[in-house]
Amino acid sequence: MKKKSRILMLVGALLPLFLFVFPLWNITLEAPQYPTPLGMDIYINDFADANPHDIKNINLMNHYVGMKYIPDAIPEFKIFPAGIIITTIIGLIIAFKGNYKWFLGWFIFMVLLSSAGIYDFYLWEHDYGHNLDPKAIMKFTNPDGSVMGFQPPLFGSKDILNFKAHSYPQLGAYFLGLGMALQLAAYFFGKRENKKNKA
């Protein structure tokens, strides 16, 4: 276990566990009527107020245009935590038992899994911003007459009526990304160690 590649793989497998401590993403809404922006942190198992009562205020505001209430729980909140624990355990097994080729395979798998998670987040945002209640008190249309959507950006900033919405990864996402980078580095170190052993 003294090989650098295995140590990197070990640390890379453990870092995603910080997702249980730090938020994965944050969405913030700025508007003149809110001196303190409204925001919510998204964890792998819950939504949380960026400031006290933010989610309640967002729900009350969005109700007028027919948007769904931000749920206390969604199915992914049960799946993601289990997924992180399972992938961490498998990653640790690979760190102790697998060779450097397994490190690359695991990195590719984590990239695909993370991409699926981002796509799922986009689908949730799209449904949240476009699947509006037809009986909403207020209705807005685009210049072409179609119903206006209120989907927040997946990444970056976007103007929505008089709001400016911001959507960016948080510390949990950075730990996940760092863990994946270490897994890739473990592959290259392992490949170099393998060549030295054959020399």
Side-chain angles (χ1 to χ4, degrees):
M1 190 58 203
K2 292 182 179 179
K3 289 185 177 181
K4 289 183 180 179
S5 61
R6 294 192 181 278
I7 294 173
L8 289 172
M9 183 64 198
L10 175 66
V11 176
L14 290 172
L15 284 178
L17 291 176
F18 279 104
L19 285 167
F20 288 98
V21 181
F22 300 109
L24 178 64
W25 218 265
N26 172 271
I27 295 177
T28 300
L29 300 173
E30 293 181 349
Q33 65 267 39
Y34 292 100
T36 300
L38 301 176
M40 63 178 180
D41 291 320
I42 303 172
Y43 290 78
I44 60 167
N45 59 352
D46 202 2
F47 292 104
D49 294 313
N51 303 291
H53 311 300
D54 273 1
I55 293 178
K56 178 181 178 181
N57 289 327
I58 291 171
N59 279 332
L60 289 172
M61 176 181 62
N62 289 347
H63 172 70
Y64 289 105
V65 295
M67 296 173 74
K68 297 176 182 178
Y69 284 102
I70 296 170
D72 295 327
I74 58 176
E76 288 84 350
F77 285 163
K78 295 180 180 179
I79 298 169
F80 289 161
I84 291 298
I85 292 173
I86 292 170
T87 54
T88 295
I89 292 172
I90 296 174
L92 292 175
I93 293 171
I94 291 173
F96 282 99
K97 301 294 185 180
N99 62 32
Y100 73 96
K101 293 179 182 179
W102 280 85
F103 300 165
L104 179 61
W106 190 243
F107 166 76
I108 293 172
F109 175 75
M110 289 298 290
V111 168
L112 294 175
L113 200 62
S114 298
S115 298
I118 292 172
Y119 182 63
D120 182 77
F121 179 43
Y122 169 79
L123 291 178
W124 175 82
E125 280 192 328
H126 186 273
D127 180 72
Y128 175 64
H130 289 88
N131 190 6
L132 307 178
D133 185 350
K135 297 179 181 179
I137 298 171
M138 302 174 68
K139 296 180 181 180
F140 296 90
T141 57
N142 295 309
D144 64 359
S146 60
V147 177
M148 182 181 291
F150 301 94
Q151 180 180 354
L154 179 65
F155 178 87
S157 299
K158 177 182 178 181
D159 291 323
I160 305 175
L161 295 179
N162 66 323
F163 285 86
K164 194 169 189 68
H166 308 279
S167 178
Y168 290 101
Q170 296 299 295
L171 198 53
Y174 295 131
F175 274 115
L176 175 62
L178 178 58
M180 292 165 60
L182 290 179
Q183 292 164 16
L184 181 60
Y187 163 73
F188 288 109
F189 271 92
K191 188 175 182 180
R192 189 170 67 180
E193 290 164 354
N194 186 61
K195 286 182 179 180
K196 285 182 180 180
N197 291 335
K198 288 182 178 180

